[in-house]
Amino acid sequence: MLPRFLAHSIDAAAGTAMLSEEETRHLSQVLRLAAGDEIAVFDGSGREFRARVERIARDGAELRLIELVPASPEPAVRLTLAQAVIKGDKMDDVVRDATMMGIAAVEPLVTEHTVAHMKAGRAPDRWRRIAVASAKQCRRAVVPAIGVGTTFADWLRQDQAEVKLMLVEPSASVEGYPLSTIGGTRPATASLLVGPEGGWSADEINAAAAAGCVAITLGRRTLRADAVPIVAIGVLQFLWGDL
């Protein structure tokens, strides 16, 4: 199986591509590849090619495209995960696993009960690098968009998804519908709001309902904060026929 690299500079008409300096270091210094070796290269938007390394320089590697190869299919529903930032490296795990599951975008949120330290607009670039690495590993040709981080209120104002869902814990001030009831017609786009370790405030739940969000629950079990979004994504994809 060919090693995979992300290249934003792909000219399919000319049959060429260029790796970034960072990707080139991984190619030459970590994997010890050289001119003449074959690799797989994808553009992060769904295209993937078999390619040959033509030249390696300090600022990048030049590639010759050999053929377009079938990329792994994307889910039919473009699902955005609006995830309240959680502590430590658990947010890293969420980004990694959500990418693996085929999420279209991840928007880090600052909420009333957010414990992790992140200001709106200051989401670490590390999360995008994690998404790229996860896409490489799971052989996905699309890298999800990783937002810069926003407040809960700003997210509600900008969310334009056809279906808007909010995960609530069993002890929340509102009773959520079982996730299994979210079926019927498959939407083109959807968003999933997932709270922090301390859950949502009553004001946030009310504001989400006013913005058209449907409160849903995963049932009576208490799950780790980093496990909740991945379980929910899996169930939704099953219900929508995306697994």
Side-chain angles (χ1 to χ4, degrees), residues 148-179:
V148 297
T150 187
T151 64
F152 178 80
D154 284 343
W155 169 254
L156 291 183
R157 283 191 287 268
Q158 71 187 48
D159 185 10
Q160 298 297 317
E162 183 179 338
V163 171
K164 304 174 185 179
L165 304 173
M166 181 187 212
L167 271 177
V168 296
E169 64 273 19
S171 60
S173 59
V174 63
E175 184 176 355
Y177 292 98
L179 193 54

Side-chain angles (χ1 to χ4, degrees), residues 89-112:
D89 58 2
K90 297 302 183 182
M91 191 69 181
D92 296 2
D93 296 340
V94 169
V95 172
R96 180 198 65 207
D97 293 344
T99 299
M100 173 187 67
M101 293 295 290
I103 207 80
V106 178
E107 185 62 52
L109 298 183
V110 178
T111 68
E112 287 190 34

